[in-house]
């Protein structure tokens, strides 16, 4: 028995020496962080297995993981889109999942996944008006499909009563007959920011609001510029500063900035 204990102690000592040697050797090498590893999304059946066969728990864990992502990072937002799509399959009732999609994914270049998540949520949550409303807003603001937007807002109004129903019908009427409205987009983002519980999501929404405020400022200045120049289109954003229409150009918190479309209308640079 004593001999066995001694052999165990010797083996443990040897392992410790090997560990110390390996650590000291590795310190001589530069550590490289491979960002691609952070973008790995496991298949759904593996996530369910890791959650002890509970698909609802697996969906919750996937949504929690999206909250740990950086919505300003291209790799993270791509992974978040895949994670939320998978959570949508595992638990189509998940309210936080569709809310995150509406708040973050749609504004980060993943509109198709957002609309898919909202469609499924609307089907599985027949008493909830908001999946249809958010889907309609995306059709209005991103796709510029005003008929579809108005129709979806009407359908969302049918799922509620009282003041909410009245307001949703007013929005439906406005969307049916109106083009792009930055003030509407600003109101939607502001309400989302007020109601989300996740601090990272709220920070992202606030950055979106700041970016939108910059675009609204540029467009108002561009309209005044055009009026002062006999309807001539704006040729460069710098002219708004050079001719004192703005003290300076607004900063984009996403670092992409603003530009002009062929008609001289200020727009976001592509994400």
């Amino acid at each position: 028995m004593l001999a066995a204990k001694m052999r165990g102690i010797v083996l443990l000592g040897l392992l410790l020496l090997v560990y110390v040697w390996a650590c000291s050797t590795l310190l001589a090498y530069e550590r490289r962080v491979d960002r691609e590893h952070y973008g790995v999304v496991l298949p759904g059946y593996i996530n369910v297995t890791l959650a002890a066969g509970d698909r609802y728990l697996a969906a919750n864990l996937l949504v929690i993981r999206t909250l740990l992502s950086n919505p300003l990072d291209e790799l993270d937002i791509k992974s978040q889109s895949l994670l939320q799509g998978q959570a949508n399959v595992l638990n189509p009732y998940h309210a936080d999942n569709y809310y995150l999609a509406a708040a973050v994914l749609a504004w980060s270049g993943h509109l198709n996944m957002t609309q898919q998540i909202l469609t499924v949520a609307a089907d599985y949550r027949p008493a909830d008006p908001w999946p249809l409303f958010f889907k309609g807003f995306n059709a209005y603001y991103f796709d510029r499909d005003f008929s579809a937007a108005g129709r979806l807002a009407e359908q969302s109004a049918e799922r509620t009563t009282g003041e909410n129903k009245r307001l949703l019908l007013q929005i439906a009427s406005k969307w049916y007959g109106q083009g792009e409205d930055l003030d509407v987009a600003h109101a939607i983002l502001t309400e989302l920011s007020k109601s989300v519980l996740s601090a990272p999501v709220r920070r992202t929404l606030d950055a979106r609001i700041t970016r939108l405020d910059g675009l609204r400022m540029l467009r108002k200045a561009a309209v005044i510029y055009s009026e002062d120049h006999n309807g001539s289109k704006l040729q460069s954003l710098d002219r708004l500063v050079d001719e004192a229409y703005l003290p300076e150009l607004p900063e984009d918190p996403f670092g992409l900035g603003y530009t002009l479309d062929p008609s001289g209308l200020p727009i976001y640079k592509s994400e």
Side-chain angles (χ1 to χ4, degrees), residues 25-48:
T25 302
L26 290 173
L27 285 175
Y29 295 90
E30 180 182 358
R31 182 179 181 183
R32 296 187 305 169
V33 179
D34 187 356
R35 289 283 297 131
E36 293 297 328
H37 287 134
Y38 292 99
V40 173
V41 178
L42 297 173
Y45 68 90
I46 293 182
N47 285 315
V48 172

Side-chain angles (χ1 to χ4, degrees), residues 2-247:
L2 182 61
K5 288 184 178 180
M6 289 299 298
R7 285 196 297 270
I9 293 173
V10 171
L11 179 59
L12 183 60
L14 289 174
L15 290 174
L16 180 61
L17 288 174
V18 171
Y19 173 76
V20 172
W21 170 82
C23 289
S24 60
T25 302
L26 290 173
L27 285 175
Y29 295 90
E30 180 182 358
R31 182 179 181 183
R32 296 187 305 169
V33 179
D34 187 356
R35 289 283 297 131
E36 293 297 328
H37 287 134
Y38 292 99
V40 173
V41 178
L42 297 173
Y45 68 90
I46 293 182
N47 285 315
V48 172
T49 301
L50 293 174
D54 188 336
R55 65 188 181 98
Y56 297 107
L57 174 60
N60 285 339
L61 293 174
L62 290 170
V63 173
I64 290 171
R65 182 178 165 189
T66 66
L67 294 173
L68 302 178
S69 303
N70 176 9
L72 307 185
D73 185 279
E74 183 179 352
L75 179 61
D76 276 7
I77 198 64
K78 181 179 179 181
S79 298
Q80 182 174 337
S81 176
L82 296 173
L83 289 167
Q84 290 201 245
Q86 193 177 118
N88 191 49
V89 173
L90 294 175
N91 183 6
Y93 300 93
H94 206 303
D96 289 342
N97 193 48
Y98 88 70
Y99 211 84
L100 277 172
V104 178
L105 289 186
W107 299 86
S108 304
H110 292 270
L111 181 61
N112 289 339
M113 179 60 76
T114 301
Q115 297 298 73
Q116 177 183 323
I117 290 171
L118 292 172
T119 298
V120 173
D123 289 341
Y124 279 83
R125 300 173 64 88
D128 187 347
W130 303 117
L132 287 173
F133 173 74
F134 290 135
K135 185 179 177 182
F137 174 78
N138 292 338
Y140 167 86
Y141 188 70
F142 295 105
D143 287 338
R144 300 179 63 81
D145 188 343
F146 308 123
S147 295
R151 184 172 62 253
L152 286 163
E154 273 193 304
Q155 292 172 0
S156 70
E158 293 172 358
R159 297 185 170 194
T160 187
T161 59
E163 185 66 10
N164 279 342
K165 183 169 187 174
R166 185 182 68 80
L167 291 174
L168 287 170
L169 288 174
Q170 283 185 351
I171 291 173
S173 176
K174 185 174 184 178
W175 286 355
Y176 270 127
Q178 200 173 35
E180 183 184 68
D181 189 331
L182 297 184
D183 291 335
V184 171
H186 187 275
I188 297 297
L189 284 175
T190 300
E191 287 305 312
L192 279 172
S193 180
K194 288 178 181 177
S195 58
V196 297
L197 299 178
S198 166
V201 174
R202 189 181 303 110
R203 286 194 295 270
T204 302
L205 287 170
D206 289 343
R208 295 284 176 191
I209 292 170
T210 300
R211 191 183 195 213
L212 184 58
D213 284 338
L215 184 60
R216 294 164 79 203
M217 183 190 307
L218 289 171
R219 289 195 178 177
K220 289 177 182 178
V223 169
I224 298 174
Y225 174 94
S226 181
E227 292 173 350
D228 290 347
H229 292 76
N230 299 317
S232 298
K233 71 178 183 180
L234 185 64
Q235 300 292 334
S236 167
L237 290 176
D238 290 331
R239 288 196 179 183
L240 296 176
V241 177
D242 296 340
E243 300 187 29
Y245 288 91
L246 289 174

